[in-house]
Structure formats: C-alpha cells, structure tokens
Amino acid sequence: MAKPLIRTFIRGFDEDVLRGGIPQGHVILIRGSSGTMKSSLAYYVLYHNALQGTPGLYVTLEQSAGSLLEHVASLGLRATSVSDALPILDLSRGREHLEEMAAKMGTLAGVDLSQGEALLTVLKGKILDLKSRQNFGLLTIDSWDALELVLEFKDRRTETFAFFEWLRDLGVTSLLISEEPALGQSAHVLEEEFLADGIVHLQLVPVTDTAYQRRMQCVKMRSVNQNSDDHTLLFENGRFEVARAIG
C-alpha cells in the first residue's frame, strides 16, 4: 500500500515535481551552499503543515531559536500562530547544551558509553519526550553537519545508518539540512546521500556576471517517479514556488 504523502506547500513542487508530495516517514536531505534558503525552506514546510493540523519539531544546533524566529518573521511567516504545534528545540550551544541536559538526567553517570553515545542518548530521549507530548509528524534537524560534530561519529556510515533508521522508526518525516560538500572531498562524506530516502538540492546559479538565481532540484525521492529537472526557486509574498528553469 502506498504511503500517505506530505505536502511541502511549495507551489509547483508538490504536484509537478513530487507527483503529490513526500512519502510519509522518509528521511530527506536538504543540501546546498550558504544563502540558498535551506533553513527557510525547511521551516516553511513545517510551518504550513502545522497550520493544516500536522505538528512539527524544529531542532536547531547552529542558529538560536530567537534568531530563527526573527528570520522567519522577516519572511512573513507568523510563528506565533503555530507556536504550540511547532516548537523549536534550541541546541545552538551544541555540545555544551547536550552535556547540561545529560547532567540533569544523570545519563553520563554510571553508564558505560562514550561521551558521543551518551549525548546521542540524551538527544533521542529529548526528541522522544517531545514526540510523546506533541505527537509531531515532521522533524527538521538544522543541521546534520553540526549534529555529526557534536556526536563525534567514529564509524560514519554505520552511525548514520543507525540514526536514519531510528528516525524512520519514530514514524516522522525528517528534513535534514546539510551544507554542500566542498569540491574534491572524499566519497565517504556523501554516504548520507546514499542512505537518505530523498535529496533536495538547492543552489545559486549565475545568470549574468552580477546576478544569481536560486535553483531547486529533487535529485532523489524513493517510491516517487519525481521530476529531477532543475527548477527556479522563488520566494514572493511569503510563499515559495518553483518554475521550470530556462538557460
């Protein structure tokens, strides 16, 4: 039986590119360079689903909750209208914040775990606690790169696979924000692309010597016969939309 589909509410993307939406429970990588609106787009998806009655959780490890809310307000999104349905788990102090949480919960005391494993246990526990209280259906982690650094993955492929499986078992649709790898980086840094169920690639493309255009491409989406062409990504009047890229 086909999975229910989660709409992104990006005009022209759900029907024309995804043939309806993202299959529920997928782990999606939103990858792009700085300035491509990765965080804005991920919050936008959760925001509009929250408005329609599907709660979400936004986990931020780099930008503080206050800074994120200020930014989305500048986009015309009224975060106060979904504050109960879309809480923000602010871990922008990274390792320090997780260690404080671990100390409060006693997780690091008398447990035979590496520090990275203990911090992962704390993070999972906090997300599970919010899941039991909020029953959220969508989750954003901003960013995957920061989370890896905090958790100190040793066996990157095995630990990434295990975490993605945990997200799927959680029964949520996950959006993981990630920076574009630098040219020449070894293939192992792309393992999450093989392990994710979907990849949405954002980029800034020069159209003249001085002008750039945002582009969006659904590189991969399991269980979907997606359109993988480049599309122009526009944001106007508080709405994202895509159009077929020309040139």
Side-chain angles (χ1 to χ4, degrees):
M1 187 174 67
K3 292 182 178 180
L5 298 176
I6 303 298
R7 293 180 63 197
T8 67
F9 295 92
I10 300 168
R11 190 176 295 132
F13 191 68
D14 287 324
E15 296 303 330
D16 298 343
V17 176
L18 296 179
R19 319 302 186 193
I22 297 170
Q24 190 178 68
H26 269 19
V27 175
I28 307 299
L29 198 67
I30 300 179
R31 173 155 274 174
S33 58
S34 179
T36 52
M37 299 189 79
K38 301 183 297 294
S39 298
S40 302
L41 187 138
Y43 186 90
Y44 177 93
V45 173
L46 269 63
Y47 172 83
H48 280 282
N49 274 279
L51 287 176
Q52 297 299 317
T54 301
L57 173 65
Y58 196 105
V59 180
T60 176
L61 290 103
E62 295 182 292
Q63 186 177 17
S64 70
S67 176
L68 175 64
L69 290 172
E70 184 178 330
H71 173 68
V72 300
S74 73
L75 299 176
L77 306 182
R78 296 177 59 249
T80 53
S81 64
V82 295
S83 56
D84 291 335
L86 181 50
I88 298 172
L89 176 56
D90 187 349
L91 302 176
S92 57
R93 286 186 292 139
R95 190 177 190 83
E96 177 189 351
H97 196 138
L98 281 174
E99 286 174 346
E100 287 179 6
M101 290 168 59
K104 289 177 182 177
M105 297 168 63
T107 305
L108 297 180
V111 180
D112 187 20
L113 295 173
S114 71
Q115 194 160 24
E117 290 171 330
L119 295 180
L120 177 58
T121 299
V122 171
L123 176 66
K124 287 180 175 180
K126 184 62 176 177
I127 291 174
L128 285 169
D129 176 57
L130 288 168
K131 182 73 164 69
S132 68
R133 288 193 277 131
Q134 300 287 136
N135 195 29
F136 57 85
L138 289 99
L139 168 69
T140 287
I141 295 178
D142 186 1
S143 70
W144 172 247
D145 311 82
L147 183 62
E148 278 193 288
L149 287 174
V150 168
L151 298 180
E152 297 181 339
F153 282 179
K154 300 294 190 295
D155 183 342
R156 198 169 182 277
R157 185 178 184 86
T158 299
E159 291 176 86
T160 298
F161 175 81
F163 189 75
F164 284 12
E165 284 296 288
W166 181 79
L167 290 175
R168 294 183 185 105
D169 290 343
L170 198 60
V172 300
T173 304
S174 306
L175 308 179
L176 310 183
I177 296 170
S178 177
E179 286 294 317
E180 184 74 27
L183 290 175
Q185 279 190 283
S186 58
H188 80 275
V189 303
L190 301 178
E191 284 171 352
E192 62 267 30
E193 293 194 352
F194 295 104
L195 296 171
D197 300 303
I199 303 168
V200 174
H201 185 222
L202 304 179
Q203 58 181 327
L204 282 170
V205 176
V207 291
T208 70
D209 289 341
T210 58
Y212 287 79
Q213 185 181 85
R214 287 190 177 89
R215 298 278 180 90
M216 183 174 184
Q217 180 192 18
C218 183
V219 178
K220 163 184 170 182
M221 190 64 65
R222 287 177 182 154
S223 306
V224 172
N225 180 27
Q226 85 277 6
N227 180 333
S228 294
D229 293 342
D230 260 347
H231 286 72
T232 303
L233 178 64
L234 305 170
F235 186 83
E236 294 179 349
N237 301 318
R239 304 288 298 192
F240 275 109
E241 64 178 291
V242 297
R244 181 64 62 85
I246 300 175

Short mmCIF file of all heavy atoms in Angstrom, two decimals, residues 16-17 19 213 215 227 229-232 242-247:
data_model
loop_
_atom_site.label_atom_id
_atom_site.label_comp_id
_atom_site.label_asym_id
_atom_site.label_seq_id
_atom_site.Cartn_x
_atom_site.Cartn_y
_atom_site.Cartn_z
N ASP A 16 3.91 18.97 -9.61
CA ASP A 16 4.70 18.90 -10.84
C ASP A 16 6.01 18.16 -10.68
O ASP A 16 6.51 17.55 -11.62
CB ASP A 16 4.98 20.31 -11.37
CG ASP A 16 3.71 21.06 -11.73
OD1 ASP A 16 2.66 20.40 -11.88
OD2 ASP A 16 3.75 22.29 -11.84
N VAL A 17 6.60 18.20 -9.48
CA VAL A 17 7.90 17.56 -9.26
C VAL A 17 7.77 16.27 -8.47
O VAL A 17 8.29 15.22 -8.85
CB VAL A 17 8.86 18.53 -8.54
CG1 VAL A 17 10.19 17.84 -8.23
CG2 VAL A 17 9.10 19.78 -9.39
N ARG A 19 4.89 14.64 -7.70
CA ARG A 19 3.68 13.87 -8.05
C ARG A 19 2.75 13.71 -6.85
O ARG A 19 2.11 12.68 -6.68
CB ARG A 19 4.05 12.49 -8.61
CG ARG A 19 5.23 12.43 -9.56
CD ARG A 19 5.06 13.31 -10.77
NE ARG A 19 6.16 13.11 -11.71
CZ ARG A 19 6.43 13.91 -12.74
NH1 ARG A 19 5.68 14.99 -12.95
NH2 ARG A 19 7.44 13.67 -13.55
N GLN A 213 20.55 33.26 -9.54
CA GLN A 213 19.20 32.74 -9.44
C GLN A 213 19.22 31.50 -8.55
O GLN A 213 20.11 30.65 -8.67
CB GLN A 213 18.70 32.37 -10.84
CG GLN A 213 17.26 31.92 -10.92
CD GLN A 213 16.90 31.55 -12.35
OE1 GLN A 213 17.14 30.43 -12.80
NE2 GLN A 213 16.32 32.50 -13.07
N ARG A 215 18.08 27.89 -7.51
CA ARG A 215 17.55 26.71 -8.20
C ARG A 215 17.28 25.61 -7.19
O ARG A 215 17.95 25.50 -6.16
CB ARG A 215 18.55 26.20 -9.25
CG ARG A 215 18.86 27.20 -10.38
CD ARG A 215 17.81 27.16 -11.47
NE ARG A 215 18.11 28.11 -12.53
CZ ARG A 215 18.84 27.81 -13.62
NH1 ARG A 215 19.36 26.60 -13.75
NH2 ARG A 215 19.05 28.71 -14.55
N ASN A 227 10.21 14.39 -10.92
CA ASN A 227 10.84 15.17 -11.98
C ASN A 227 12.17 15.67 -11.43
O ASN A 227 12.19 16.43 -10.45
CB ASN A 227 9.93 16.33 -12.37
CG ASN A 227 10.50 17.19 -13.48
OD1 ASN A 227 11.71 17.28 -13.65
ND2 ASN A 227 9.64 17.86 -14.22
N ASP A 229 14.44 17.54 -13.01
CA ASP A 229 14.96 18.72 -13.67
C ASP A 229 15.21 19.85 -12.67
O ASP A 229 14.56 19.91 -11.62
CB ASP A 229 13.98 19.23 -14.74
CG ASP A 229 13.83 18.27 -15.91
OD1 ASP A 229 14.72 17.40 -16.07
OD2 ASP A 229 12.83 18.39 -16.65
N ASP A 230 16.12 20.73 -13.03
CA ASP A 230 16.32 21.96 -12.25
C ASP A 230 15.09 22.84 -12.36
O ASP A 230 14.49 22.97 -13.43
CB ASP A 230 17.52 22.73 -12.79
CG ASP A 230 18.78 22.51 -11.95
OD1 ASP A 230 18.67 21.97 -10.85
OD2 ASP A 230 19.86 22.87 -12.43
N HIS A 231 14.72 23.47 -11.24
CA HIS A 231 13.63 24.44 -11.24
C HIS A 231 14.10 25.72 -10.56
O HIS A 231 14.88 25.67 -9.60
CB HIS A 231 12.40 23.90 -10.50
CG HIS A 231 11.65 22.86 -11.26
ND1 HIS A 231 12.14 21.58 -11.46
CD2 HIS A 231 10.46 22.92 -11.91
CE1 HIS A 231 11.26 20.88 -12.17
NE2 HIS A 231 10.24 21.67 -12.45
N THR A 232 13.64 26.84 -11.07
CA THR A 232 13.90 28.11 -10.41
C THR A 232 13.09 28.18 -9.12
O THR A 232 11.91 27.84 -9.11
CB THR A 232 13.50 29.29 -11.32
OG1 THR A 232 14.22 29.19 -12.55
CG2 THR A 232 13.81 30.62 -10.67
N VAL A 242 8.13 27.12 -7.44
CA VAL A 242 9.15 26.75 -8.41
C VAL A 242 8.59 26.88 -9.82
O VAL A 242 7.37 26.80 -10.03
CB VAL A 242 9.67 25.31 -8.20
CG1 VAL A 242 10.35 25.15 -6.84
CG2 VAL A 242 8.55 24.27 -8.37
N ALA A 243 9.49 27.11 -10.75
CA ALA A 243 9.13 27.18 -12.16
C ALA A 243 10.24 26.51 -12.94
O ALA A 243 11.39 26.44 -12.48
CB ALA A 243 8.96 28.63 -12.61
N ARG A 244 9.92 25.99 -14.10
CA ARG A 244 10.93 25.32 -14.92
C ARG A 244 12.07 26.27 -15.24
O ARG A 244 11.86 27.39 -15.72
CB ARG A 244 10.30 24.82 -16.22
CG ARG A 244 11.26 24.07 -17.14
CD ARG A 244 11.76 22.79 -16.51
NE ARG A 244 10.70 21.84 -16.24
CZ ARG A 244 10.23 20.97 -17.15
NH1 ARG A 244 10.73 20.93 -18.36
NH2 ARG A 244 9.28 20.14 -16.81
N ALA A 245 13.29 25.84 -14.91
CA ALA A 245 14.47 26.68 -15.17
C ALA A 245 14.78 26.70 -16.66
O ALA A 245 14.69 25.69 -17.35
CB ALA A 245 15.66 26.15 -14.39
N ILE A 246 15.11 27.88 -17.14
CA ILE A 246 15.46 28.06 -18.56
C ILE A 246 16.87 28.63 -18.63
O ILE A 246 17.19 29.60 -17.95
CB ILE A 246 14.47 29.01 -19.26
CG1 ILE A 246 13.06 28.43 -19.18
CG2 ILE A 246 14.88 29.24 -20.70
CD1 ILE A 246 12.01 29.36 -19.73
N GLY A 247 17.70 28.00 -19.48
CA GLY A 247 19.05 28.51 -19.67
C GLY A 247 20.02 28.00 -18.62
O GLY A 247 19.68 27.32 -17.70
#
